[in-house]
Amino acid sequence: MKLQEESKLCGTSEDSSDQHLHQELLNKTETLFHRLLLKDRHHNKLRAADVLQLTAHSLHSHESCAEEELIQSFIQKLLITDYRARYIKTKDNNEEVHKGSVSNEEIGQYEKIHSMDVQMAVFHCADSFLKQLMVTKLSQCQYALPLLVPDPFTQQIEFPLWTFRQINKSWKMRNINNEIISQTEPIYKAETPMVFFFRFGSVSSSKSQLMNSLINEKHNTFFHRNCPGSSRSRLLMDGVVEIAWFCPSARDTDKFNECVAFCNLHGDAGDHEKQLQILTEMSSVNVVLLPQLDRNDKHAAKIQNLYRNKKPLIFLFTEDDSIVKLMQKGKYKIGLKDRNQSEVSEELRRAIKDCLSESSSTFRLEDVSRHSDIRVDEEDDDDCRRGREAAQKMMGFLEKKDLTEIKESFLPHQGKLWHQWSQKNKELHRPRADETEIEISRKQTEMKKILEQQHECEISEFMKLFLKQMNLDAEHENMFFVRWLIILLHEYISADLSALHHKYSEKWSTVLQMKENKDEFEQPPAEQSELERISEDLQAAAFGLEHIMREIGQIYESCSSVKKNKKDLQVHFSSLPSLAAEMMISGFPLELMDGDAAHVPVIWISAVLDQLVQKLGDQRVFVLSVLGLQSSGKSTMLNAMFGLEFAVSAGRCTRGAFMQLIRVSDEVKTQMNTDYILVVDTEGLRALELAERSTRDHDNELATFVVGLANLTLINIFGENPSEMQDILQIVCQAFLRMKKVRLNPRCVFVHQNVSDVTAGEKNMEGRRRLLEKLDEMTKLAAKEENCNAECFSDVISFDVQNDVKYFAHLWEGSPPMAPPNPNYCENIQELKETIISHAAKSNRLMLTHFKDRIKDLWEALLNERFVFSFRNTLEISAYRKLETEYSKWSWSLHSAMMETENKLHNKIKNEAVNEVEETDLQIELRKTSEEVEKSMSEFFEKDKDKDILIQWKKSFEIKIKELQENIVRETKRKLNEILQQRDLRKKTDAQRTHHENTLYEKSKELPLKLKDKANDEETLKKEFDLCLEQSVDETRDISVTPPFKDIDIMKDAIKILSVIFEGHLHDYIKEDSEYISIFTVWSFFDYVIFKKSTKQGVKDLKKGAFSTMKGTFGNIQNLSPEIEAQIKSLVSDVDQQTDQMIQSFNISKMGYKISCTEKLIDYIKKRVTEHQEGEVKYEFKNEFCIDLVLSICKKANKMITDQHRLFRETNDPEISVEKKREEYYSILQKSCNEAPSAAVFGEIICQKLKEPIEQSVYKKTARDLTYEIMKNCESLNGNRLNLEKHILKTLAEEEDFVKYMDYLKYPRFHFKSFIRDEVNRYITDKFSLSVLPKMKHNIKLLQQKIMKAAHQSTEHVQVNSGDVGLWLKSFTQQLSDVLIFSEKDLSGEKHHDVDDFNLLEDVIKIDLTAIMSDISNSLNKDTFLVKLDYKFRPHELLTDHFCQCCWVQCPFCGATCTNTVGNHHGDHSAPFHRSIGLNGIYFNDTSNLSTHICTSAVASSILYIYPNDSNDEIPWRDYRRAGGVFADWSITPDLSELPYWKWFVCTFKEDLEKYYKKTFEGQGKIPDEWKNYSKVDAIESLDNYI
């Protein structure tokens, strides 16, 4: 009673003391969080995404760190499962403590932070997902896990059940028959005995240390006072209950025979009654530590209650030294004082085992949540709860379903239909020996039908629910939902999957034993088929998130293929890739290769990556892949390195390939030259499930695929088995050899795992030497298979045997399942990570868009049997096209700059201001533009996002630009020198014309004086004026040096010359104009050829055809091989191109046409024909070839020559010239009649003289400006040559004109020129008012200003220098000499010596010039714009020169044109897509059937043959390069794309083609029915996919 009263009296003071202590604890806790830089993180939680990114801190191992880095260092080590995360030392930054300058009160805050406080601080500040990751990693480190955790600020107890959801434990036990039973369970479901340890009061022995000796004496499962990192200042562990499990291994050394849970309450149990109550109720055995039994102890009542309880209880007395003693049934006591730790541990273990044998109670983690007054994290978080409910709802669909049938029922899109489609796709790319285009089309149709059937499949309610949930605008809830679904699915399948694996393992052992006992060639069929069946069941039973995402991918692909949504799909199919992209960003892996179908869903993967680019931007990625045998620790290594969650248990081996994004922090991005690491994990090579199938091809495909995708591949070798090493090394060598042949340059690092002594330097050196020897040996073997030369591994890739071979320690420190990860293994992981970062810093960056293209290219090539031959590097092609577009701009800059210079010099030459042109002068003029181009090139190669790909062409394009400049300068010099020569040749003619004009001006001025009084009579004046002009024309004709002007007839001249050359043969050959044969439209040159007698094979031999199949042969039209046809066509095309240039050089508009022009053309053509047939060809041309070539070229040039001669005649024919200037002369006459001052008359004459030069200058300048504008604004002309071709093909399809099509097919260059001309004319017509006219008016205005400025400055110059009209005229003409063809000689013979009023002269020029400019402006219209321009200045001619200086070589099979923008380019000819060879006239021999084969599918065939010229050797079409000649120069990649364009063309113009070639599409050449389904719209749309 007295005690109670005392208690009441003291109550107030005790409460006050408790509050003070509580406040002090809170202050210390806040200080701790502040010191750890977690002050605000208790509410603003750390996220898993934050700690999983690659930071500068995570790149290095930290055994000690500054206090503020403790959290980072702990998390970093924990993520790589280094159990030393708890033992990180802090660097002492507080020297003042040691110097004694800090008071005792302040020392507390500088005390060393307890390691468990670091762990628990992270736990309290982590969000749900980071907590779960953290606890999962703690479990992997074999550490005890937080079970009940008081909040450090509110003291509310939390049960973090969510954090246990991903943990699975495995153990082995023996049953009553002494058989070993393996068991794997999610730990939250496991029902096990539980032993609960707690203490009352302060005890001298470490409870946690004692517990460790029961579980694993070599590992500190529970942190204790003697561990490194322990300190007196522990703040966050009091009241925390930790749990750990002992898992037996069915060995005699096991401490317990069953799985047992151990719980440990930290702190005085008397202060934590709720925890004590919960755990003592749930435990199987309670173990309490206390100094000794004392009835006066404040906890005596609690101890007495525990003793009275039937539950087994073990007392451990720290102040007692007695051995174990049974106090009564289920009650033991053991003394600890001064006793051997091992003895105590053994006594305690036996006591616990005895208690457990008597107890039937079990503990289940989930049951803890039933207790009241504790917070269960899953229930308290609404998002987590809703996510679980949604996942459970989905799991409801799976109840009572056979596991092997679930996927078929709920995921039908990825079942048989997808597998059938995958198989068909492989068959399509690997054609049978006798496969035709009809069969290829049939397969494509079958594949379409499969996709249509797939599209018709209903979406299961299971999938609908998943999509509905994932489309909610609740990111956090959805994360929980996905995590829950993974957890529940794993729980659902784990038992059945484990049983199937056990069954498979037993059957596999039986099969192996039978194989050993029987002859090695004999197979045990029944057992083998049973093994196959179990393997199929295993495949069917595997069911996880990856299969759900695979289903979504297949739903997307089926919708995408038929281009419409599914009826039962709640969202549009186009939104599905966005969902997958979001999941990737959230840290989930995405299946890259379907492991079941062994196929890459390219459309789906591309769409997801497109969405990633849309969400993240086109980020730089460093792709890291891993290769190794099955179960060699690949996924474990990646998980440890980056904190990932790839499946690692034996029952969940990776199938196919998965990719996962790892974010790189801003600080590391610069160092690594990347924004993300993209990790590709793969299934093991030599997979057990595929053991009896043809695995070599599969393994080679997988290895080639992931090696090609990656910047760096980790080659994982487990153990030291020589045969296993040989297996993987040969596969790896072959993969890298293939990469070298297709110009990809990945790197590799070999990781040799499970090496017994990684510290032995000598042993490692020897190991490296042996590995290199083996690699060299395997390289030689692989080189034989790949048919190339390589003597050693370093010939294949850049490889440093010292730095690129890593030796890894054993993964476990001891024997599983209780062994923790080996810290040396974790160190090796950290070293490997540093090596990877080093490689990343030096590697070429890959953009996400590049990665997408690389996937497509590699997979497409792998589908074909010959990878190297089939690989098409889209990244390189895309980058090269971009480079070509830039090259087009650079070359245009140089051309346009030189055109300006050429125009100025042209004017000066005409004005006799320049008499000589040197290359150095032109180079100086071009220097500024040249420097700008060089700068632009440099920036492009250095800054473009594809710079790492582009660098390979930098040197060659610098050389091309240099050569282009030299050619431009050389060509400009040639043109200007021709103008100089022509000027000199025309001197007499021009002088005579000028004299004639000026004489007429003089006569116009003098006529009023002759008429005297009659001058005012308008009628008399006009009559006399007309008479004067007629006399003048007659006089000029009499004395003219130019022959009389007549109509010209180029064709008549050509026939006349040819008649002389061929001595009458021509008369029989050509009778009428209508019978001219255009050589540009003939379907074969066979009729023009005679084979030389020396040819070993005559025409008869050639008739066997250029191509053959096992069924028959292909023949070319009239039996000329494609090689010969190509040679002749090339000759014709080149002659046409050169004669075009010759005609331009004749400068007919200035020099006039003479028959000598045609003579020169014919001489040149005849010379080229002779040279060709005297070369290394085996044929000669008949006379008809030369005749038709001459007539075809002359006919084509007829209009241009006639138009140019018309311009010449208009300028030089006195009659026409006088008529044109009649009004001008009459105006001078009128002024003279009105007695106008001589300055006024002279001013008008000057203006009249300027009119034509002004007009020509404006037209030329506008043409140049317009050309640049058209290049910018006209869609077809604003890119490279390939873009132009795409628009040509679109236009051809829209017009459906067969004649134009054949022009394009036979002579594409001609058609290009025609198309450019039409495009330019259309642009001028459409934009004349909006663009052309304003440009012309602007140029008129600029020229007017320049002329007036010249007049004003000349006036000033004369006045200053007291000069005469001669000085004025000299100054005036010099200032205009570079813009106008106008000089003093233009006024020779015109009397103007009496002009002395220069101000009046300037005013007259200003007035008259305005009128003239107005006349020119008013006369501008679209009809006259081009007519008034010389051909060579017309925009379409300038653009033709720009676009057509490229490669025009055509495919020897189908006639597709090489699309390289540079003529005489280095490397192979290539085209983006080819066409049916029947369009080139190839047909089946001994039939009249045109072939429908497309050469890109034919080169994949093994049954088509080429007969090269002069050879009886059959060369398979797939090895066409061996035929040499034109064949060897082409790169034709196998391509089984649909190519709708040319298939539509063949069907649309079938009859026209048959009529043209006089053959039919029948028999073997029958057009596949599937081709007829393509519409014109399909054809046009397909061009965007292929070009």
Side-chain angles (χ1 to χ4, degrees), residues 1017-1060:
D1017 182 0
E1018 183 75 22
E1019 191 177 335
T1020 306
L1021 190 65
K1022 261 202 160 198
K1023 191 176 179 183
E1024 288 295 327
F1025 174 71
D1026 290 342
L1027 185 64
C1028 179
L1029 291 188
E1030 283 174 26
Q1031 288 172 352
S1032 176
V1033 169
D1034 291 339
E1035 287 170 11
T1036 305
R1037 279 193 178 139
D1038 290 341
I1039 62 168
S1040 175
V1041 295
T1042 309
F1045 287 95
K1046 297 182 291 185
D1047 290 334
I1048 61 169
D1049 189 338
I1050 294 100
M1051 296 307 293
K1052 191 175 179 182
D1053 290 348
I1055 292 168
K1056 181 181 175 184
I1057 297 161
L1058 288 169
S1059 296
V1060 173

Side-chain angles (χ1 to χ4, degrees), residues 302 352 571 1577:
K302 292 187 181 82
I352 291 171
V571 294
V1577 173

